[in-house]
Amino acid sequence: MGSAEYVAYQLAQAAQAAGIDVAEVELNEVAPTDLPSCTHLIVVASTWGDGELPDNGALFWESLSAADAPALEGLRFAVAGLGDSSYPLYNNASRIIDERLEELGGVRLVPRTEYDCYLDGQAAGWISDVVKLLTAEVTAAGGGEELAQSASTAAATGDPEPARADGTSWDRGHPYRARVAVNRLLTGPGSDKEVRHFELDLGDSGIAYQAGDSLAVQPLNDPALVDAVLERLGEPGDRIPEGHDQSLSQLLAAAELRSPSRELRILVADRTRDAEIREVLTGTDSDRLTAWLYGRDLVDLLDVAELSAEEVVATLRPLAPRDYSIASSPLTDPSRVHLTVAAVRYTRDGRDRAGTASTFLADRTSSVEVYLRPNNHFRLPAPDVPIIMVGPGTGIAPFRAFLAERQAVGATGSSWLFFGDRHRATDYLYREDLEEFTASGTLTRLDLAFSRDGVEKEYVWHRMLEHADELYGWLTDGAHLYVCGDATHMARDVDRTLHTVVAQGGGLDADGAHAFVNDLMRNHRYLRDVY
């Protein structure tokens, strides 16, 4: 969502102000074979998926981690990582880059720095320290002839503006309170899913969004979950813990309760009498830890370890905003932002549970604090360029925005959408909109897959395989491919299918198909907004 890009941008600006020759680029634009000619490399990396580099840094890592990567003796480097410690492989991308640069002979300018749920301004001290060290080293080497290269894992724009430069002052520290103008159920009667369409009134905020952007929504916790935590702690909600100026109920309402922090997991492991749980929480098997944590929250941890309120509060992190892909175009609705949200509700161990932001929007508020999260790498190409969109389930959101935008500008480029869900009768999201886009010619082709309607389950990637030759033809004709939705399964299945489509359509072996897909990524023609 641009945080790594913004930190790299700030570092580049500070270095340039100090008279240092700096280039700020996306990691995929850096070839490891070019690094021996550089004196310094500063990497700002976020972590995606299962501890991986984001797409716009994946090609860099593939080359850097290869057995034939060049020696980097003499290269001075520094790495900063942006991550979320509730995930087992916290900041893994920055860690593996840092370790690999050292393996290849590079020397650290400063130790690796980590930021947990990064907030604007937190990197100011690190930036200042790095610039001072760069200034001293460049000066000692005889001036500014050396190249200091700053790289970011967030896609850099052609005009290096800050990622949050949306013309307003609205951000996480100063969100805008938007009225919920529309809260409408999209799924039909009998569906086993609850997907809702929201429209948030931007009022006089001045927020100017683009198709492809996301909106950050700041929720509050479900009072029922707060009460369950208080019950486990044996504390009244109005008690004010030592060192705080708010009551326990207020602190818990605005803290992460569904994603226990690493500090809390360590504390629980130390106190629990359950040896198996202790092993899971302290072990090195990230898959096992992820499986154990899935669907559990703070209450589950308090059920296996006795902790005081002060101990728990000390480990809690502020409740982070949730990002949702915008499902509207400013060309058709500039005063409102449309969101497509699946309300999460389930029962486990006899207790009803619910998604933090999804049910806050659905059930508990008529207005919500928001701010824009520009997504500069997920943008439409020129109106005459063909596009392919793969967006099952709520992944349809940005593509509804794309199609509305293309219809508004009278785009001439062809468009192909792969959409799927469980049942056509109940889960065909935005059916009327898609049919209207098709009738108007804005949507050239629509392929659908409803996984529970037939004897065999069929998904969007099955449709891609059925039309492999045509799909490959669109790609060779210059089409841009976009994927949005589930990262854990769907995005990986689609990526594997894409390689198969390319191999089949182009008559390529696995290496040739891999190179073709890498070229799509390098040229920003294969873009993913997955979660």
Side-chain angles (χ1 to χ4, degrees), residues 343-512:
V344 178
R345 306 179 197 273
Y346 61 101
T347 301
R348 178 170 184 163
D349 298 331
R351 181 162 60 89
D352 292 335
R353 305 164 189 242
T356 303
S358 63
T359 56
F360 177 73
L361 282 169
D363 304 337
R364 302 194 303 277
T365 190
S366 60
S367 66
V368 61
E369 292 183 341
V370 301
Y371 61 94
L372 188 65
R373 295 276 262 173
N375 195 349
N376 293 319
H377 84 284
F378 204 77
R379 294 278 189 247
L380 278 167
D384 62 342
V385 175
I387 59 173
I388 303 164
M389 301 162 286
V390 183
T394 57
I396 188 64
F399 304 136
R400 181 175 182 265
F402 279 10
L403 291 168
E405 182 115 342
R406 286 213 144 187
Q407 186 172 66
V409 302
T412 58
S414 299
S415 58
W416 187 350
L417 173 65
F418 292 88
F419 172 75
D421 214 308
R422 294 183 179 178
H423 299 284
R424 177 188 287 265
T426 59
D427 305 316
Y428 191 168
L429 307 182
Y430 297 118
R431 178 173 185 166
E432 292 182 0
D433 291 341
L434 296 182
E435 290 178 347
E436 193 279 326
F437 286 133
T438 301
S440 70
T442 301
L443 181 56
T444 311
R445 181 162 182 169
L446 174 62
D447 278 278
L448 303 169
F450 295 99
S451 60
R452 305 302 195 273
D453 280 351
V455 177
E456 300 291 334
K457 292 182 180 179
E458 294 188 336
Y459 299 99
V460 288
W461 60 267
H462 286 105
R463 295 291 174 264
M464 293 173 65
L465 283 176
E466 287 174 3
H467 306 292
D469 291 342
E470 293 169 88
L471 192 56
Y472 179 74
W474 279 53
L475 293 172
T476 56
D477 286 342
H480 288 219
L481 172 64
Y482 299 86
V483 181
C484 184
D486 168 60
T488 305
H489 300 292
M490 184 277 296
R492 297 179 191 277
D493 289 338
V494 168
D495 186 72
R496 282 192 292 268
T497 301
L498 175 61
H499 283 77
T500 302
V501 165
V502 168
Q504 177 179 318
L508 303 173
D509 61 13
D511 289 341

Side-chain angles (χ1 to χ4, degrees), residues 47 49-52 84-93 95 265 284 286-287 289-290:
T47 297
D50 192 18
E52 304 158 34
D84 182 340
S85 64
S86 66
Y87 289 91
L89 292 173
Y90 168 61
N91 255 318
N92 188 62
R95 180 185 61 78
R265 298 199 302 263
T284 58
S286 62
D287 290 339
L289 175 61
T290 299

Side-chain angles (χ1 to χ4, degrees), residues 236-250:
D238 59 358
R239 185 171 81 79
I240 298 178
E242 186 176 349
H244 294 271
D245 57 5
Q246 291 184 305
S247 68
L248 277 172
S249 289
Q250 291 172 314

Side-chain angles (χ1 to χ4, degrees), residues 326-341:
I326 293 175
S328 54
S329 165
L331 299 185
T332 57
D333 205 348
S335 64
R336 290 187 178 185
V337 165
H338 300 191
L339 303 179
T340 311
V341 180

